[in-house]
Amino acid sequence: MVKLHLWVFIILIYLLEFGYGDVIEVPPLNINQKDLMKHLSIVDIKIALPAIYVFDDSFVDNGNNKAILGNKDAIGGGYLPFGIDFDGKPTGRVTNGRIGIDFIATVAGLPYPPPIEKTIRTGVNYASGASRLLPQNGHFLHKYVINFFQQVDLFENSTMEDLKSTFDSPEGFIQYLSKSLFFIHHAGNDLGLTFEAEMEKKYSIDKYAELLIEEFSKQLKRLYTLGARKFFVSNVSPLGCSPFNINTKNHSGPCVEEINNRVSVYNNLLPGLWAKLQSTLPGSNFVLGDIYKVFQDVFEMPRSYGFKDVNTSCCVDNNGTRIQVCAPNIAPCKDRKNRVFFDPFHLSETMHFLWARRFLKDSSRKLGRGGFKKISRGNMTQKWACLSGLEEPLRASACDTTSRVQGPRFEQRGKQIKEFYFAARSKRGGRQWGTKG
């Protein structure tokens, strides 16, 4: 009896420490806003956003690389088995189905933000797989991708120019931008293979992380100058736990801690950047999504989140292994709903759904175990209330989004980028920029 009580006590402590997990089936492909919010048990949270603008890498790329690189490049997700659970159609998402931002858009009552070939008032996705923060970083991962500063160029010189004429007044356009959400998943490529191949000999990780923060801050300020006020940024996930790194690098534990430590150096600088930006950019709201913590929770207790495999690729490469990119038109694993990774670098739809719902649902928790920081359902902070457009009484000073600082223009560079990718697509026999691929 004493032993039984001891075990009950241990289990209770374990549950209090780590939580009960979060096993929720991935919803149907065409689920609507109301049903998804019910599915997530967040019906008492209302998010009012006119648009979502998405930036940076393959975690959130939904077709830009596919348009640029064609249907034969794995970085573009342009062939099966990518999209096998998206009505069997490769869309450019480097996974089997939807990505996290798709679920967030649905909760906000918006369509999926389309790739940059299409400009609509509900948002645009500029993300490009293999993109990087630093302009001086080379094209180690791929020659034709859109780096972060170039994505900001395109937002300024393409989307903004196209949208201005659809508003009755400049003030209406400024108000629209101030209420839109700017979602950024960034720096994974800079801290991963790019650092190892190009930067490790030049910089210590501390100096390199500072360079990344400096460039990231510069681009966030550019977006602010252009009218952005509401920013949601994910930190970097534990790259040392990807199937590629686990299978190609020496390590003594379950993951390659050398890489994870490198990531942590950068992640630890983000809160300081947030505090600085929040205090110097009037009316701005910055929220940090702790995707690193989401991964940690899953790796510690995978079955409590519905996962049976946390470190193996679901798809098979050309060598018949699960270490390199997916081979075209070879059926992936059947248990992909229970896997964290779809290919050796990228997440399954299930894991995308998990981090999206954690970012959304944890905003109503006080645990601070991931998602939106310092937010509770019963006592919303003004920061999140301003960010998500919640219908809460707020101090005007905390949510002032009308002030706008005029900054430098980058029109010529933006035109050059569009011409560059137009030329790249024409060279490979693709369609012109601005037409459906």
Side-chain angles (χ1 to χ4, degrees):
M1 181 64 71
V2 174
K3 288 185 177 180
L4 180 60
H5 288 168
L6 179 61
W7 277 110
V8 171
F9 177 74
I10 291 172
I11 291 171
L12 285 173
I13 293 296
Y14 189 75
L15 291 174
L16 287 171
E17 175 67 21
F18 295 106
Y20 291 90
D22 195 3
V23 182
I24 305 178
E25 283 290 324
V26 175
L29 180 61
N30 296 314
I31 192 170
N32 60 35
Q33 178 193 27
K34 181 180 179 181
D35 290 341
L36 179 56
M37 295 184 75
K38 183 177 180 181
H39 188 73
L40 292 169
S41 300
I42 55 172
V43 292
D44 55 341
I45 295 177
K46 184 176 181 180
I47 300 177
L49 300 169
I52 299 178
Y53 290 96
V54 185
F55 296 84
D56 213 24
D57 60 24
S58 56
F59 262 52
V60 287
D61 185 351
N62 67 347
N64 290 315
N65 275 15
K66 181 176 182 290
I68 296 168
L69 306 175
N71 295 331
K72 296 182 180 181
D73 198 304
I75 296 179
Y79 57 79
L80 288 171
F82 299 116
I84 190 171
D85 296 313
F86 202 106
D87 279 346
K89 300 173 183 177
T91 61
R93 294 166 174 83
V94 192
T95 184
N96 54 302
R98 286 158 290 181
I99 54 178
I101 195 62
D102 293 331
F103 299 109
I104 292 174
T106 299
V107 167
L110 301 172
Y112 304 155
I116 52 181
E117 291 185 298
K118 185 178 181 181
T119 297
I120 59 176
R121 284 179 63 159
T122 53
V124 177
N125 189 327
Y126 303 88
S128 177
S131 69
R132 293 162 296 278
L133 282 181
L134 291 181
Q136 62 264 39
N137 277 355
H139 292 87
F140 168 72
L141 295 176
H142 209 288
K143 186 176 181 180
Y144 298 117
V145 297
I146 315 173
N147 284 336
F148 184 48
F149 78 93
Q150 295 169 317
Q151 295 174 30
V152 179
D153 288 342
L154 288 169
F155 168 72
E156 178 178 13
N157 300 306
S158 178
T159 302
M160 287 189 65
E161 294 302 319
D162 292 343
L163 284 179
K164 281 180 181 178
S165 61
T166 68
F167 286 82
D168 294 333
S169 67
E171 292 76 17
F173 183 52
I174 292 172
Q175 189 74 1
Y176 157 83
L177 290 175
S178 72
K179 292 182 177 181
S180 298
L181 180 65
F182 289 74
F183 186 98
I184 305 167
H185 182 283
H186 74 300
N189 294 313
D190 295 272
L191 291 163
L193 292 174
T194 299
F195 177 77
E196 295 164 7
E198 299 181 338
M199 295 296 166
E200 194 167 15
K201 295 180 180 179
K202 299 179 181 178
Y203 304 106
S204 68
I205 183 55
D206 294 291
K207 178 61 177 177
Y208 185 65
E210 291 174 359
L211 290 174
L212 293 177
I213 288 290
E214 183 180 347
E215 175 63 21
F216 192 38
S217 176
K218 176 182 175 181
Q219 299 306 326
L220 290 175
K221 289 176 180 177
R222 276 187 65 194
L223 288 170
Y224 175 86
T225 297
L226 294 171
R229 292 294 181 271
K230 300 175 182 178
F231 299 86
F232 183 92
V233 180
S234 168
N235 62 10
V236 183
S237 61
L239 304 175
C241 298
S242 72
F244 174 80
N245 284 322
I246 289 174
N247 285 284
T248 60
K249 294 178 172 62
N250 294 326
H251 56 97
S252 57
C255 299
V256 185
E257 288 308 314
E258 178 186 356
I259 300 176
N260 288 346
N261 291 338
R262 183 194 312 157
V263 169
S264 294
V265 170
Y266 177 79
N267 283 347
N268 290 339
L269 296 178
L270 287 172
L273 173 62
W274 259 216
K276 183 177 181 180
L277 292 175
Q278 193 82 42
S279 64
T280 57
L281 302 180
S284 65
N285 288 277
F286 291 86
V287 173
L288 179 62
D290 194 354
I291 199 170
Y292 194 102
K293 179 58 178 171
V294 175
F295 272 81
Q296 278 187 323
D297 290 347
V298 169
F299 293 150
E300 288 174 359
M301 295 181 62
R303 290 189 178 274
S304 69
Y305 292 91
F307 293 106
K308 296 179 180 178
D309 189 315
V310 299
N311 54 21
T312 306
S313 170
C314 177
C315 69
V316 178
D317 58 32
N318 282 318
N319 297 320
T321 67
R322 300 180 188 273
I323 300 175
Q324 301 298 328
V325 298
C326 301
N329 302 314
I330 295 180
C333 63
K334 294 182 179 180
D335 63 343
R336 50 190 175 271
K337 289 185 177 180
N338 306 119
R339 291 181 183 246
V340 170
F341 291 93
F342 184 68
D343 75 6
F345 310 91
H346 302 100
L347 308 181
S348 66
E349 181 184 44
T350 305
M351 188 62 181
H352 273 290
F353 180 52
L354 173 61
W355 72 251
R357 72 181 188 249
R358 281 284 296 268
F359 283 178
L360 289 164
K361 198 171 182 180
D362 282 6
S363 66
S364 64
R365 297 178 180 175
K366 295 181 181 180
L367 299 180
R369 301 179 64 83
F372 302 113
K373 297 293 188 181
K374 298 179 182 177
I375 297 161
S376 66
R377 178 172 296 153
N379 183 26
M380 284 285 178
T381 62
Q382 287 191 328
K383 177 188 289 188
W384 175 234
C386 293
L387 178 64
S388 59
L390 288 161
E391 295 178 351
E392 295 282 335
L394 302 166
R395 292 200 307 267
S397 60
C399 295
D400 177 23
T401 55
T402 57
S403 60
R404 186 168 187 263
V405 181
Q406 296 297 325
R409 301 292 295 173
F410 298 83
E411 294 182 6
Q412 184 59 36
R413 186 166 61 174
K415 292 177 181 178
Q416 291 173 347
I417 291 171
K418 291 184 70 173
E419 291 171 358
F420 170 77
Y421 288 107
F422 171 86
R425 298 189 66 192
S426 299
K427 184 176 181 180
R428 70 167 178 79
R431 296 176 184 271
Q432 295 183 0
W433 187 285
T435 62
K436 294 183 178 180

